[in-house]
């Protein structure tokens, strides 16, 4: 009888241990942290101040589809940091991770995120494939990551401005929700003379055309300058591209911003009513 009791207690202990291990694995995945990863990145929490994450304009098209329980489609167009250079696999790119995060936030909605990133492209080259890689897919939202290669190639801000506004005009004319994503805060970007100017240009364009801006540059700068996270934690060894942790964190923060925007209470004013 004692042998049976000891066996029973051992079984319970092993079950508890296995459950705890499974919970730890699920928790690690939920936080975009590889469960078996080594080093500082595996222990680092993903976060940034709310004012750097919040999207200011409503995503009207997306909100209507979600409210109606309809499928949603997002096209992520950009260069190598959309394609996923620096990630350990395509599954760790930010568009792939964004799809996972959004499915968790909207479990009853069918979510599709199409990765239309091509390494090395400038704004002009992206515009040339808008018809094929954006409009043909009939998305509800376009996340346009732009500016990095223009900075790296020393393209003038005047030329970059013309191409940026042309792209925004075309996206708005198609009645799509638009989220701009500015360059990454990485050593090879911030060392360029026009890096801050490009960030300011994209910020102004977003305000003047009433589209949303995901402030990747400011978020990553916050990690480095405020949180004192070393570049090696969130930038690849090439000092340009992001890595699994930062792609996952950007996806998590962007998904949260999208969720907050489409579920934000709308205030309606009644004008001219009299009792």
């Amino acid at each position: 009888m004692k042998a049976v009791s000891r066996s029973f207690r051992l079984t319970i202990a092993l079950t508890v241990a296995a459950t705890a291990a499974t919970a730890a694995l699920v928790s690690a995945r939920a936080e975009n942290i590889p469960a078996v990863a080594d080093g500082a990145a595996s222990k680092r929490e993903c976060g940034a101040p709310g004012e750097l994450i919040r999207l200011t304009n409503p995503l009207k098209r997306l909100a209507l589809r979600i409210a109606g329980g309809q499928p949603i489609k997002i096209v992520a167009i950009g260069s190598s940091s959309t394609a996923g250079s620096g990630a350990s696999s395509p599954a760790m790119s930010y568009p792939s991770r964004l799809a996972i995060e959004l499915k968790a936030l909207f479990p009853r909605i069918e979510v599709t995120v199409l990765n239309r990133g091509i390494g090395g492209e400038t704004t002009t080259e992206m515009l040339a494939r808008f018809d094929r890689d954006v409009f043909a897919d009939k998305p509800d939202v376009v996340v346009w990551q732009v500016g990095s290669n223009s900075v790296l190639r020393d393209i003038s801000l005047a030329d970059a401005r013309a191409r940026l506004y042309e792209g925004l005009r075309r996206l708005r004319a198609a009645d799509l929700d638009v989220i701009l994503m500015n360059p990454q805060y990485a050593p090879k970007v911030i060392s360029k003379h026009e890096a801050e100017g490009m960030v300011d240009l994209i910020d102004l364009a977003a305000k003047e055309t009433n589209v949303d801006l995901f402030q990747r540059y400011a978020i990553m700068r916050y990690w480095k300058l405020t949180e004192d996270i070393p570049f090696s934690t969130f930038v690849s060894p090439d000092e340009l591209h992001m890595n699994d942790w930062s792609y996952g964190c950007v996806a998590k923060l962007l998904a949260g911003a999208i969720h907050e925007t489409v579920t934000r209470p709308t205030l309606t004013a009644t004008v001219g009513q009299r009792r």
Side-chain angles (χ1 to χ4, degrees):
M1 190 71 178
K2 290 182 179 179
V4 172
S5 178
R6 284 196 297 270
S7 176
F8 179 75
R9 289 198 299 270
L10 178 59
T11 300
I12 293 297
L14 290 173
T15 301
V16 170
T19 302
T22 301
L25 178 61
V26 171
S27 176
R29 287 174 177 168
E31 291 298 324
N32 294 307
I33 299 171
V36 296
D38 294 322
S42 65
K43 302 174 184 177
R44 185 70 64 176
E45 291 186 5
C46 168
E51 64 269 19
L52 298 183
I53 304 170
R54 190 176 190 271
L55 303 178
T56 58
N57 295 291
L59 299 170
K60 295 180 180 179
R61 182 183 180 118
L62 186 66
L64 284 173
R65 292 191 66 81
I66 290 174
Q70 298 175 293
I72 61 173
K73 182 185 293 184
I74 298 173
V75 164
I77 186 167
S79 55
S80 56
S81 62
T82 294
S85 295
S88 61
S89 72
M92 298 306 291
S93 68
Y94 102 75
S96 295
R97 299 301 304 165
L98 179 62
I100 292 172
E101 295 289 348
L102 288 173
K103 287 173 184 176
L105 292 170
F106 301 106
R108 293 183 175 85
I109 302 296
E110 180 183 336
V111 178
T112 301
V113 180
L114 301 176
N115 189 334
R116 297 293 185 247
I118 296 180
E121 283 199 338
T122 63
T123 310
T124 300
E125 292 163 321
M126 294 178 207
L127 287 176
R129 57 188 180 90
F130 264 24
D131 286 339
R132 181 193 71 200
D133 288 349
V134 177
F135 301 129
D137 288 311
K138 302 185 185 312
D140 303 299
V141 183
V142 175
V143 182
W144 188 13
Q145 170 260 309
V146 67
S148 299
N149 285 314
S150 296
V151 168
L152 293 171
R153 296 186 186 182
D154 297 312
I155 294 174
S156 72
L157 288 178
D159 185 61
R161 182 186 188 281
R163 302 286 80 77
L164 176 61
Y165 277 78
E166 178 187 348
L168 290 173
R169 178 189 59 78
R170 291 175 63 187
L171 292 171
R172 294 305 304 274
D175 196 29
L176 303 175
D177 290 335
V178 181
I179 302 173
L180 285 175
M181 180 183 291
N182 57 21
Q184 64 268 43
Y185 188 85
K188 286 188 178 178
V189 174
I190 64 177
S191 65
K192 302 298 287 185
H193 177 67
E194 296 289 10
E196 294 284 346
M198 179 61 72
V199 171
D200 292 341
L201 169 61
I202 295 171
D203 179 73
L204 179 62
K207 290 175 180 175
E208 290 186 342
T209 58
N210 295 314
V211 303
D212 279 305
L213 171 64
F214 183 76
Q215 302 184 64
R216 178 173 60 158
Y217 189 89
I219 290 169
M220 295 177 70
R221 181 173 58 192
Y222 169 83
W223 294 343
K224 181 68 175 71
L225 301 184
T226 303
E227 292 295 313
D228 197 28
I229 303 175
F231 276 126
S232 59
T233 299
F234 61 90
V235 176
S236 293
D238 64 6
E239 298 188 331
L240 174 60
H241 296 105
M242 299 165 69
N243 59 20
D244 285 358
W245 182 85
S246 49
Y247 280 130
C249 189
V250 160
K252 188 179 187 70
L253 297 178
L254 178 55
I258 291 172
H259 181 269
E260 190 277 332
T261 301
V262 300
T263 58
R264 187 183 301 160
T266 302
L267 299 178
T268 56
T270 303
V271 180
Q273 282 191 351
R274 295 183 180 178
R275 292 184 180 273

